[in-house]
């Protein structure tokens, strides 16, 4: 079955630690995205990548880093520079299918800083 | 620029109808609707394109008014399973990435 997988589902981090969230898709989508969602809030774009080996900052990129070495994978690292990282993180991918893009989301990773 | 959704929240009794709006200050190419259950990922419902027809998904349908740059999501005879947060995502051109609205929280009570 095609889809987007994220791991782990729950992640606990101590202050000062870097953590990496995994996102993999087998939909053959070109574009991938990372969003952050705080309780009761909307989706805020952290980073996006439209092609392998290229990525762009979104609205709230500070304290985060990404890589896109393979089409299928777009890991997100939450660094110690991110002062308030506790949130629900959603990965998404999209592809252009005439006449418009279709975007789907992974199941999410809930990160808690202890 | 982020589209604006209204209302921010709505509470319904089972069987009642609701309308959720998504408005943009810019000319839109497409509007995408998603529903998110608490603690889960948003699930794609439907896409509406400029010049396209009204779409439907079970008892949930939507329209796109190009003159107003507004899309409306219609939920008729609501069911408990309709509860969740509804997001619209908008694209200014074919192939453009989506910009999401702030969401509308819908609660359906028995």
């Amino acid at each position: 079955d095609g889809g987007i997988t994220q791991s782990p589902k729950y992640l606990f981090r101590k202050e000062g630690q870097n953590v990496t969230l995994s996102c993999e898709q087998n939909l053959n989508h070109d574009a991938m995205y990372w969003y952050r969602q705080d309780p009761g809030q909307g989706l805020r774009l952290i980073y996006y990548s439209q092609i392998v080996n290229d990525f762009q900052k979104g609205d709230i990129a500070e304290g985060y880093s990404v890589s896109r070495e393979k089409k299928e994978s777009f890991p997100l690292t939450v660094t110690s520079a991110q002062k308030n990282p506790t949130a629900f993180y959603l990965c998404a991918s999209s592809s252009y299918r005439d006449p418009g893009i279709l975007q789907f989301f992974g199941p999410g990773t809930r990160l808690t800083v202890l | 620029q982020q589209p604006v959704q209204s209302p921010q929240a709505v509470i319904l009794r089972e069987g009642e109808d609701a309308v959720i709006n998504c408005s943009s200050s810019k000319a839109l190419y497409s509007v995408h609707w998603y529903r998110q259950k608490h603690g889960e990922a948003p699930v794609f419902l439907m896409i509406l394109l400029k010049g396209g027809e009204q779409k439907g998904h079970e008892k949930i349908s939507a329209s796109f008014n190009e003159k107003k740059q507004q899309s409306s999501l219609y939920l008729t005879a609501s069911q408990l399973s309709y509860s969740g947060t509804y997001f619209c995502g908008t694209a200014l051109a074919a192939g453009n990435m989506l910009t999401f609205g702030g969401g509308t929280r819908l609660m359906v009570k028995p």
Side-chain angles (χ1 to χ4, degrees):
Chain A
D1 287 338
I4 304 170
T5 57
Q6 290 186 242
S7 61
K9 187 171 183 179
Y10 298 97
L11 185 59
F12 298 90
R13 187 193 97 170
K14 292 182 179 179
E15 285 192 23
Q17 283 183 335
N18 292 355
V19 290
T20 297
L21 283 59
S22 169
C23 177
E24 304 276 335
Q25 55 98 1
N26 60 4
L27 299 167
N28 199 32
H29 284 178
D30 294 309
M32 297 186 74
Y33 313 82
W34 275 105
Y35 295 90
R36 169 179 172 145
Q37 188 175 36
D38 292 286
Q41 302 299 311
L43 305 168
R44 292 190 290 170
L45 183 65
I46 305 172
Y47 268 98
Y48 65 98
S49 168
Q50 295 182 313
I51 194 170
V52 174
N53 292 322
D54 187 52
F55 48 83
Q56 308 294 329
K57 291 182 179 180
D59 301 318
I60 56 164
E62 186 175 350
Y64 300 98
S65 66
V66 294
S67 63
R68 185 89 186 273
E69 297 176 0
K70 298 187 300 182
K71 187 176 184 178
E72 302 81 17
S73 178
F74 192 40
L76 173 75
T77 297
V78 184
T79 75
S80 56
Q82 172 48 241
K83 297 306 178 188
N84 185 22
T86 295
F88 189 45
Y89 290 87
L90 287 161
C91 177
S93 70
S94 73
S95 186
Y96 182 77
R97 292 286 182 268
D98 187 33
I101 69 166
L102 288 177
Q103 179 167 323
F104 300 102
F105 288 85
T109 292
R110 190 167 299 280
L111 173 64
T112 303
V113 174
L114 303 173
Chain B
Q1 191 169 356
Q2 186 181 29
V4 177
Q5 288 187 233
S6 64
Q8 288 186 316
V10 59
I11 300 174
L12 300 173
R13 291 287 179 189
E14 240 182 324
E16 291 181 339
D17 301 340
V19 180
I20 299 171
N21 297 308
C22 173
S23 299
S24 173
S25 58
K26 297 188 176 182
L28 298 175
Y29 174 79
S30 62
V31 180
H32 306 235
W33 286 98
Y34 293 80
R35 177 172 61 205
Q36 184 181 32
K37 300 281 189 178
H38 181 69
E40 300 178 8
V43 173
F44 174 75
L45 293 176
M46 65 189 80
I47 177 175
L48 294 103
L49 301 169
K50 181 175 68 171
E53 298 176 355
Q54 183 164 332
K55 287 285 197 81
H57 177 76
E58 298 178 345
K59 293 182 181 178
I60 301 174
S61 62
S63 63
F64 181 12
N65 185 324
E66 289 178 52
K67 288 184 179 179
K68 293 184 178 180
Q69 295 306 321
Q70 176 176 292
S71 177
S72 297
L73 186 71
Y74 306 96
L75 300 100
T76 58
S78 59
Q79 305 169 14
L80 296 176
S81 62
Y82 286 3
S83 293
T85 300
Y86 290 79
F87 290 98
C88 67
T90 57
L92 302 183
N96 274 162
M97 58 185 290
L98 300 181
T99 302
F100 288 92
T104 296
R105 299 177 73 177
L106 178 76
M107 182 183 295
V108 181
K109 293 186 173 182

